[in-house]
């Protein structure tokens, strides 16, 4: 069999044009996936976490905002409690702006020497953008025996905080949660104070150096000068985003309080669930405390109910200490969380003193579900599960990079679910910390590989210190979200042996430190310490060892051990630019077959145009900007000649959509041949955000052909005789296989319809007695003789029906028979 890349350009062009016409007719070509009305309904249905009954919590959503282009705010006293800010703009959190200073400074220079000894260099640019936020401090008095905490969910990318004129945080680098005790500062001006935050955005052509996630500023090249040609030349139309990108909250609590809670389903079965509450209880008093901690659980989503389970434990808390406590309770007849049934519960965690008074409480929502891995499979609620979705970049046309709006989050989730996806790798390359994404996924039913830690591409001298500070708070802010199935804690960090500032020694130790910190904060979920980390070992292993993971035999003894850690899961990044595409999974499956852990196969991609009508409707009359991108290091006009045989333009939108659909379908079809190797797969990406990009849905929400192809490939059953190939020898016949991620099948019927170039039926065969074990299985179900057909291009339609005539699956393929 041959891949499409192996066809001559005449045949390739013919194949692509016909594939679009016949595949779109087979799958249907309706446009928008989720209507504005459906998105609006989903947003209105979203529920905010209930407020506690004892402690006082104040979500600080209304702020006054001012840009400070000259960085004059400190000198002008913008932090002062009595500043007249009535002329400032009123904003609601989360909030972001994008801006770049007019003249960046040359912050340094990058020099590089490649393996051939060739030298290149270029300028590193930097420019800062300053903004101020002010909110009135809540008027409630902080009484004796109480403490107050101010928490910031995400600030991009440097923040300073004042409470009643006093600086309580100075120069905090990073996007991740932090908090400050502000008891004394609030009490200094009771009822009349102000909270001020100065946020500094850092724009650079090497943004990773400044811990700003995957954000590029200054159009043109990564670095300047000759060094630019060494890496990526691209057109990029997003300035640096900056702002308060997640919630800011003030809480006033008793000095004996519930500081943190981790809710985890320990076991599920027999009509009951055992739920464990790991609690951090804080005693800020100057005497020991003896009392009780009680947990009350009730149903919360889709409907609320009375307390259905409760438990309590006696606690003794030493003075001025944090103490760990555990409360375990049983929930009878639990409504489990899954993408199909996203049921949620609410827990109220209460501290009761020796006199029986409730002195503090915390409210948290959670789902009852188990998720883990055994062998090379993932299991959700005890059932074998393949994670199928996208590498969701989190870039949306017209939306802030650091805090996308509720409507686009809901649209993203609805679009995934209607494609048949059950999981997505999000927020991925955007690297934002926007917790509403996970809360929406909780309530709408979509699993997440949470990919939210920084993507640093240089050995910053303090990144280990930042990891030690940030990883725990980041995970604690999200670990009670049942939608999060796995953690991915960095993406290609410190990658590229030839990049300036990258140390292979520190990168390999990065894996181990990140794993350890993540496991300490959450010992229950699978962990990818860094996206693409498995590639590092595979690059080394090829041609040396016949097994994975490495164990130090003829290998690097310092690298191997982290791959054996109990929560570590393997991932493979491939852009899919290697051909033939169907052989990509074959190559990795051979070495990973005995890995003993699930393998995530991700990040392959292909560009395609929306229809010409959609181009102007969504993007206006501006340039298409089909330039080199940060992800695809090939000049498109040359790439087009390679892929299609000539340069292409908007009029060729059907051809590019067919090319994308075939590439994605070829790789996924081949992946499903290996049910005992690949436990998850995700392509890049869901949405376009500019005129030509990798999305299977354009920026206006309309599906391209690849969307419908992937919806077919994400279905429980996938029938195939070609497995992504587009040319076959008719004398050999075709062996029809069934990949079944659903339940067992018995007594089914398979109908295969082969059509020639005119659309007329050339062969139609029916095979009875089809059986399949299901439970993520793969096997042969029929042999199709095509030797009687003349040479030519044929389409193959497969329809699988149950013993009662019910539809069990259908698939479409095309191939030259020669």
């Amino acid at each position: 069999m041959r891949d499409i890349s192996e066809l001559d350009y005449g045949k390739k062009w013919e194949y692509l044009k016909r594939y679009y016409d016949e595949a779109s007719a087979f799958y249907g070509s309706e446009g928008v996936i989720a209507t504005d009305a459906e998105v609006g309904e989903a947003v209105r249905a979203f529920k905010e976490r209930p407020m506690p009954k004892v402690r006082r919590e104040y979500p600080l959503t209304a702020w006054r905002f001012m840009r400070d282009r000259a960085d004059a705010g400190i000198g002008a006293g913008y932090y002062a409690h009595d500043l007249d800010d009535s002329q400032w703009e009123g904003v609601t959190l989360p909030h972001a702006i994008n801006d770049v200073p007019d003249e960046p400074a040359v912050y340094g220079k990058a020099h590089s020497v490649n393996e051939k000894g060739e030298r290149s260099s270029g300028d590193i640019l930097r420019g800062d953008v300053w903004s101020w936020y002010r909110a009135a401090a809540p008027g409630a008095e902080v009484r004796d025996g109480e403490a107050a905490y101010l928490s910031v969910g995400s600030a991009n990318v440097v923040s300073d905080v004042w409470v009643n004129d006093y600086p309580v945080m100075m120069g905090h680098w990073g996007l991740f949660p932090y908090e400050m005790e502000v008891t004394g500062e609030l009490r200094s001006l009771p009822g009349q104070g102000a909270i001020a935050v100065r946020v500094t955005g850092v724009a650079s052509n090497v943004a990773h150096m400044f811990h700003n996630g995957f954000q590029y500023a200054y159009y043109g090249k990564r670095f300047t000068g000759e060094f630019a040609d060494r890496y990526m030349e691209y057109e990029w139309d997003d300035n640096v985003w900056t702002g308060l990108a997640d919630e800011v909250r003030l809480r006033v609590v008793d000095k004996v309080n519930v500081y943190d809670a981790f809710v985890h389903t320990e076991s599920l079965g027999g009509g009951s669930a055992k739920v464990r509450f790991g609690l951090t209880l804080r005693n800020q008093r100057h005497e020991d405390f003896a009392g009780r901690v009680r947990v009350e659980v009730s149903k919360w989503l889709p409907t609320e109910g009375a307390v259905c389970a409760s438990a309590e434990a006696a606690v003794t808390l030493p003075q001025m200490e944090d103490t760990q406590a555990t409360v375990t309770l049983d929930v009878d007849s639990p409504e489990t969380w899954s993408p199909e049934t996203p049921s949620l519960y609410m827990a109220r965690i209460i501290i009761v003193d020796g006199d029986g008074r409730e002195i503090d409480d915390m409210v948290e929502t959670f789902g009852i579900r188990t998720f883990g891995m055994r062998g090379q499979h993932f299991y959700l609620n005890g059932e074998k599960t393949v994670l199928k979705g996208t590498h969701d970049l989190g870039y949306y046309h017209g939306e802030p990079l650091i805090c996308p709006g509720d409507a686009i989050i809901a649209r993203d989730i609805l679009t995934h679910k209607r494609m048949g996806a059950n999981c997505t790798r999000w927020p991925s390359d955007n690297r934002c910390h926007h917790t509403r994404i996970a809360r929406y996924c909780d309530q709408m039913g979509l699993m997440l590989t949470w990919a939210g830690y920084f993507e640093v591409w240089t050995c910053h001298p303090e990144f280990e210190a930042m990891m030690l500070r940030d990883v725990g708070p980041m995970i604690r802010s999200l670990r009670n979200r049942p939608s999060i199935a796995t953690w991915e804690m960095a993406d290609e960090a410190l990658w590229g042996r030839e990049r300036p500032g990258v140390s292979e020694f520190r990168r390999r130790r990065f894996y181990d430190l990140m794993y350890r910190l993540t496991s300490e904060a959450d010992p229950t979920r699978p962990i990818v310490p860094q996206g693409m980390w498995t590639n590092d070992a595979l690059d080394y292993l090829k041609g040396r060892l016949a097994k994975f993971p490495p164990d130090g035999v003829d290998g690097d003894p310092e690298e191997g051990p982290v791959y054996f850690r109990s929560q570590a899961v393997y991932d493979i990044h491939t852009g899919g630019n290697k051909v033939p595409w169907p052989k990509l999974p074959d190559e990795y499956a051979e070495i990973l077959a005995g890995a003993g852990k699930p393998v995530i196969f991700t990040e392959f991609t292909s560009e395609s145009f929306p229809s010409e009508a959609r181009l102007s409707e969504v993007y206006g009359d501006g340039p298409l900007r089909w330039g080199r991108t940060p992800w695809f290091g090939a000049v498109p006009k040359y790439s087009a000649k390679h892929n299609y045989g000539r340069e292409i333009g908007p009029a060729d939108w059907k051809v590019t959509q067919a090319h994308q659909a075939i590439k994605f379908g070829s790789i996924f079809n081949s992946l499903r041949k290996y049910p005992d190797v690949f436990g998850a797969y995700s392509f890049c990406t869901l949405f376009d955000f500019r005129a030509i990009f990798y999305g299977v849905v354009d920026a206006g929400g309309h599906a391209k052909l690849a969307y419908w192809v992937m919806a077919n490939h994400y279905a429980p059953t996938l029938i195939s005789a070609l497995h992504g190939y587009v040319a076959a020898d008719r004398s050999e016949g075709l062996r029809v296989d069934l990949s079944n991620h659903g339940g067992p099948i018995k007594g089914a019927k398979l109908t295969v319809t082969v059509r020639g170039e005119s659309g007329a039926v050339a062969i139609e065969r029916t095979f009875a007695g089809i059986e399949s074990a299901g439970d993520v299985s793969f096997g042969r179900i029929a042999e199709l003789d095509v030797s009687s057909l003349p040479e030519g291009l044929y389409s193959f339609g497969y329809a699988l029906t149950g013993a009662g005539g019910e539809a069990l699956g259908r698939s479409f393929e095309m191939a030259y028979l020669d």
Side-chain angles (χ1 to χ4, degrees), residues 299-533:
K299 294 179 181 179
W300 188 63
L301 190 84
T303 57
E304 298 181 17
V307 173
C308 61
S310 64
E312 64 177 38
V315 292
T316 299
L317 309 180
Q319 59 176 304
M320 304 300 287
E321 293 283 354
D322 284 348
T323 300
Q324 304 302 310
T326 300
V327 174
T328 302
L329 54 79
D330 294 322
V331 179
D332 294 328
S333 303
E335 296 181 2
T336 56
W337 187 97
S338 72
E340 296 74 28
T341 59
S343 301
L344 295 175
Y345 286 78
M346 180 182 74
R348 183 169 175 248
I349 305 159
I350 310 152
I351 294 183
V352 181
D353 69 10
D355 296 326
R357 292 186 305 114
E358 296 182 355
I359 62 172
D360 185 52
D361 64 343
M362 171 186 284
V363 173
E364 183 60 284
T365 60
F366 68 97
I368 293 178
R369 68 102 176 97
T370 59
F371 185 84
M373 54 187 180
R374 298 198 301 273
Q376 293 194 218
H377 295 280
F378 291 113
Y379 289 80
L380 174 65
N381 297 329
E383 296 186 1
K384 192 183 296 182
T385 301
V386 177
L387 305 183
K388 296 176 282 192
T390 74
H391 171 113
D392 196 329
L393 296 179
Y395 286 92
Y396 307 102
H397 188 64
E399 291 282 331
L401 294 182
I402 58 178
C403 51
D406 289 0
I408 195 63
I409 295 173
R411 187 180 298 277
D412 192 301
I413 296 169
L414 286 172
T415 305
H416 270 102
K417 288 175 70 69
R418 290 175 182 180
M419 186 172 59
N422 60 10
C423 184
T424 186
R425 185 173 177 247
W426 194 12
S428 191
D429 290 76
N430 195 5
R431 319 308 294 177
C432 69
H433 188 75
H434 191 50
T435 56
R436 289 184 79 81
I437 291 172
R439 297 204 295 272
Y440 262 97
C441 287
D442 280 358
Q443 297 185 29
M444 296 178 67
L446 184 67
M447 288 187 286
L448 289 167
T449 287
W450 186 266
Y453 200 63
F454 67 69
E455 186 180 80
V456 57
W457 279 7
T458 187
C459 282
H460 191 286
E462 294 185 345
F463 78 72
E464 288 100 340
M466 296 183 71
M467 291 162 63
L468 289 164
R469 183 194 68 185
D470 291 333
V471 170
M474 184 201 120
I475 291 177
R476 287 194 293 271
S477 72
L478 289 164
R479 63 186 179 180
N480 291 337
R481 309 276 64 83
S483 56
I484 296 178
T486 64
W487 299 111
E488 182 180 305
M489 295 304 297
D491 187 37
E492 302 173 14
L494 310 181
W495 203 255
R497 292 175 175 84
E498 298 176 12
R499 288 192 178 97
V502 171
S503 163
E504 187 174 2
F505 179 87
R506 288 183 75 190
R507 181 176 78 247
R508 292 186 179 188
R509 280 144 186 81
F510 180 100
Y511 303 159
D512 194 68
L513 177 58
M514 186 63 84
Y515 175 90
R516 178 165 53 83
L517 293 173
T518 306
S519 180
E520 287 172 357
D522 181 0
T524 69
R525 286 180 173 90
I527 298 167
V528 177
Q530 170 184 290
M532 206 174 180
W533 77 309

Side-chain angles (χ1 to χ4, degrees), residues 144-373:
D144 290 342
E146 291 183 328
Y149 290 88
L150 180 67
S151 60
V152 177
S154 180
N156 283 60
V157 64
V158 185
S159 50
D160 306 87
V161 184
W162 290 259
V163 174
N164 290 343
D165 305 344
Y166 192 83
V168 295
M169 177 59 71
M170 295 171 284
H172 181 277
W173 268 101
L175 319 180
F176 308 106
Y178 64 90
E179 70 174 16
M180 305 132 286
E181 185 180 349
V182 294
T183 307
E185 290 76 14
L186 282 178
R187 296 187 73 182
S188 67
L189 294 169
Q192 57 175 324
I195 298 168
V197 183
R198 175 186 183 246
V199 180
T200 306
V202 179
S204 174
N205 58 339
V206 196
H208 304 84
M209 182 176 290
F210 303 104
H211 308 288
N212 207 14
F214 200 98
Q215 295 185 31
Y216 283 82
Y218 308 122
Y219 304 157
K221 302 177 179 181
R222 178 182 171 85
F223 305 105
T224 59
E226 59 180 319
F227 190 86
D229 296 326
R230 181 118 173 81
Y231 288 99
M232 302 173 185
E233 178 185 358
Y234 53 84
E235 294 179 25
W236 193 250
D237 54 352
D238 280 297
N239 299 338
V240 66
W241 285 90
T242 181
L244 290 176
D246 207 72
E247 70 175 12
V248 176
R249 185 176 291 257
L250 180 73
R251 69 182 186 274
V252 180
V253 296
D254 191 277
K255 286 192 172 183
V256 173
N257 57 80
V258 184
Y259 185 73
D260 185 51
F262 180 24
V263 189
H264 171 58
T265 305
E266 285 194 335
S267 62
L268 186 61
S272 179
K274 187 174 293 294
V275 183
R276 179 184 184 277
F277 292 79
L279 308 175
T280 301
L281 307 179
R282 174 164 292 182
N283 181 6
Q284 294 178 250
R285 299 180 184 178
H286 288 282
E287 63 274 348
D288 294 348
F289 172 85
R292 306 188 72 79
V293 59
R294 184 169 73 245
V295 178
E296 298 174 347
V297 169
S298 57
K299 294 179 181 179
W300 188 63
L301 190 84
T303 57
E304 298 181 17
V307 173
C308 61
S310 64
E312 64 177 38
V315 292
T316 299
L317 309 180
Q319 59 176 304
M320 304 300 287
E321 293 283 354
D322 284 348
T323 300
Q324 304 302 310
T326 300
V327 174
T328 302
L329 54 79
D330 294 322
V331 179
D332 294 328
S333 303
E335 296 181 2
T336 56
W337 187 97
S338 72
E340 296 74 28
T341 59
S343 301
L344 295 175
Y345 286 78
M346 180 182 74
R348 183 169 175 248
I349 305 159
I350 310 152
I351 294 183
V352 181
D353 69 10
D355 296 326
R357 292 186 305 114
E358 296 182 355
I359 62 172
D360 185 52
D361 64 343
M362 171 186 284
V363 173
E364 183 60 284
T365 60
F366 68 97
I368 293 178
R369 68 102 176 97
T370 59
F371 185 84
M373 54 187 180

Side-chain angles (χ1 to χ4, degrees), residues 391 393 425 428-429 431 449 451 455 457 488-493 495 528-536 538-539 542 569-578 584 587-588 592 599-605 631 678 680 682 684:
H391 171 113
L393 296 179
R425 185 173 177 247
S428 191
D429 290 76
R431 319 308 294 177
T449 287
E455 186 180 80
W457 279 7
E488 182 180 305
M489 295 304 297
D491 187 37
E492 302 173 14
W495 203 255
V528 177
Q530 170 184 290
M532 206 174 180
W533 77 309
T534 308
N535 293 65
D536 200 3
L538 288 179
D539 289 345
K542 286 175 186 174
V569 64
Y570 306 136
D571 80 317
I572 296 295
H573 285 205
T574 172
N577 296 322
K578 262 199 282 186
L584 278 172
E587 176 183 337
Y588 290 111
L592 290 161
V599 178
I600 301 171
F601 193 95
T602 185
E603 207 160 311
F604 54 92
T605 188
W631 294 282
F678 300 108
S682 54
C684 177

